[in-house]
């Protein structure tokens, strides 16, 4: 599984990602925002509180996470 080493939130529900092998880029998650568990992202500032979780996933304080190989 690819290992996520850096993550930064961008406007409009996008993330900038960098993996341990040097691959980096942006992913657009706007199609998820407001749906099911991702509704929490619509609270002001919620999406911006993303971090790398203990298992290497993109994680938010709301408990939402996304596997690095999905991104």
């Amino acid at each position: 599984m690819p290992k996520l080493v850096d993550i930064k939130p961008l406007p409009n529900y996008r993330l900038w990602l960098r993996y341990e092998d040097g691959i980096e880029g942006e992913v657009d998650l706007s199609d998820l925002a407001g749906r099911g568990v991702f509704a929490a992202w619509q609270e002001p500032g919620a999406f911006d509180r993303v971090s790398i979780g203990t298992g290497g996933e993109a994680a938010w304080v709301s408990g939402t996470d996304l596997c690095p190989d999905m991104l």
Side-chain angles (χ1 to χ4, degrees):
M1 180 178 340
K3 184 175 179 184
L4 196 55
V5 295
D6 200 6
I7 189 167
K8 293 179 186 166
L10 301 171
N12 302 315
Y13 303 105
R14 292 176 302 125
L15 294 174
W16 173 84
L17 309 165
R18 183 166 38 97
Y19 291 87
E20 68 180 343
D21 61 3
I23 293 177
E24 61 182 68
E26 293 181 17
V27 61
D28 182 353
L29 301 175
S30 62
D31 61 324
L32 299 176
R35 301 171 147 218
V37 298
F38 304 106
W41 291 351
Q42 293 183 310
E43 293 179 29
F47 184 79
D48 294 338
R49 292 190 300 269
V50 66
S51 62
I52 299 173
T54 58
E57 72 280 11
W60 288 265
V61 293
S62 65
T64 306
D65 61 34
L66 292 170
C67 184
D69 58 344
M70 178 271 189
L71 297 170

